[in-house]
Amino acid sequence: MGGKKPVWLFDLDNTLHDASHAIFPAINENMNSYIGRVLAQAGLACDAASVNALRYEYWRRYGATLAGMMRHHAVRAEDFLREAHRFDDLPRMIRAERGLGHLLKRLPGRKILLTNAPDAYSKSVLRHLGLHPHFSRHISIEAMQVHRQLRPKPSRRFLRKLLSRQRIAARRCILVEDTVVNLKAAKQLGMRTAWMTGYLRTARAPMIGGMQPAVRLSRRPPYVDFKVGALYRLARSLRTSP
């Protein structure tokens, strides 16, 4: 990219580390338990199938199951996020590429963490990986609000607000994500997009609150500028891009 240096917007889970290995299964189990309790207290169906269907539907409609639980069940965000992110030993569950700090340092421009995960959890993962010094901003789901309404990725309204607050032109940004719907929204706003596929073991990869929409990993969707299986390839992709 010519001109000014890019601004990198990095996702966290399944982008900077392998969340599908142990963290996502634990989160989804915790989330199901909490949703089941909420539904039971309201006298609603709380069997496993009903819970799974509701979790996925809210993720599909709102970008995060949390948003649907807040809107339709008066759940407090802090309660949901705390219960969903209970781990016996988080450091032992984290897997990532070696030398991530060096890889991020090689990328020209500013880096911002932009994650639908909660603040405390995402900071813990960054600290464990030693990556926190490389990010100028840390934006977690609690901060993804527009007019006091939760608007997590892929909300274009929130992404516009982010660009305005940071005074960044969309064309300078590169969103690095494993989630294709988030990349599509960013591309529609004029950002460049990098699809991280290294931790997507199947075409339907588990995600917090749902499943990644079925996408053939062998193909690069038209709204994806770079498709990389490992983060070390980002610098090479940037050098060879027009």
Side-chain angles (χ1 to χ4, degrees):
M1 296 175 63
K4 295 183 179 179
K5 291 181 179 180
V7 177
W8 298 86
L9 306 177
F10 273 92
D11 179 46
L12 176 65
D13 293 327
N14 271 1
T15 299
L16 292 176
H17 72 110
D18 184 0
S20 289
H21 164 63
I23 293 175
F24 274 0
I27 290 176
N28 285 336
E29 184 176 344
N30 292 342
M31 196 179 293
N32 279 354
S33 296
Y34 182 76
I35 293 172
R37 293 196 299 271
V38 171
L39 296 180
Q41 290 171 3
L44 301 173
C46 57
D47 58 283
S50 298
V51 169
N52 274 324
L54 187 72
R55 185 185 67 180
Y56 176 76
E57 175 61 17
Y58 288 165
W59 173 82
R60 186 190 65 80
R61 289 173 61 184
Y62 303 115
T65 301
L66 168 60
M69 293 299 294
M70 292 174 65
R71 178 172 297 194
H72 299 289
H73 304 275
V75 163
R76 297 197 314 164
E78 56 268 35
D79 294 338
F80 183 94
L81 295 173
R82 182 187 63 250
E83 293 302 314
H85 292 80
R86 288 187 181 275
F87 307 104
D88 292 332
D89 191 350
L90 179 60
R92 291 187 61 184
M93 301 167 74
I94 298 172
R95 288 187 176 182
E97 290 179 55
R98 298 179 64 180
L100 280 178
H102 178 68
L103 296 175
L104 290 175
K105 190 174 182 179
R106 288 174 54 200
L107 292 175
R110 187 154 57 102
K111 289 92 180 174
I112 296 173
L113 189 78
L114 186 65
T115 174
N116 280 5
D119 186 73
Y121 159 79
S122 53
K123 285 181 177 176
S124 294
V125 173
L126 281 191
R127 283 195 298 268
H128 178 76
L129 295 173
L131 301 182
H132 51 290
H134 297 282
F135 290 94
S136 62
R137 290 291 308 276
H138 181 133
I139 301 172
S140 56
I141 194 168
E142 293 95 331
M144 294 182 178
Q145 298 192 23
V146 179
H147 303 308
R148 298 184 180 181
Q149 296 292 318
L150 189 67
R151 302 290 183 187
K153 295 180 294 182
S155 169
R156 285 178 289 176
R157 294 176 66 185
F158 173 74
L159 291 175
R160 288 193 192 98
K161 178 180 177 180
L162 172 65
L163 293 173
S164 176
R165 285 279 181 91
Q166 296 297 311
R167 298 180 179 179
I168 310 169
R171 64 182 179 275
R172 287 185 56 205
C173 291
I174 303 176
L175 177 63
V176 186
E177 270 271 0
D178 68 294
T179 308
V180 290
V181 293
N182 296 345
L183 295 171
K184 187 174 184 178
K187 190 65 174 179
Q188 289 169 341
L189 294 180
M191 297 185 196
R192 303 194 83 185
T193 54
W195 185 25
M196 174 62 182
T197 63
Y199 301 129
L200 302 183
R201 294 177 176 82
T202 67
R204 288 181 62 81
M207 297 181 60
I208 299 174
M211 298 289 289
Q212 171 114 303
V215 173
R216 293 183 64 177
L217 298 183
S218 60
R219 291 188 177 181
R220 179 170 63 87
Y223 47 84
V224 169
D225 294 299
F226 312 118
K227 175 176 175 285
V228 295
L231 289 178
Y232 75 86
R233 296 187 180 275
L234 274 176
R236 183 183 307 170
S237 298
L238 187 65
R239 287 196 302 269
T240 59
S241 66

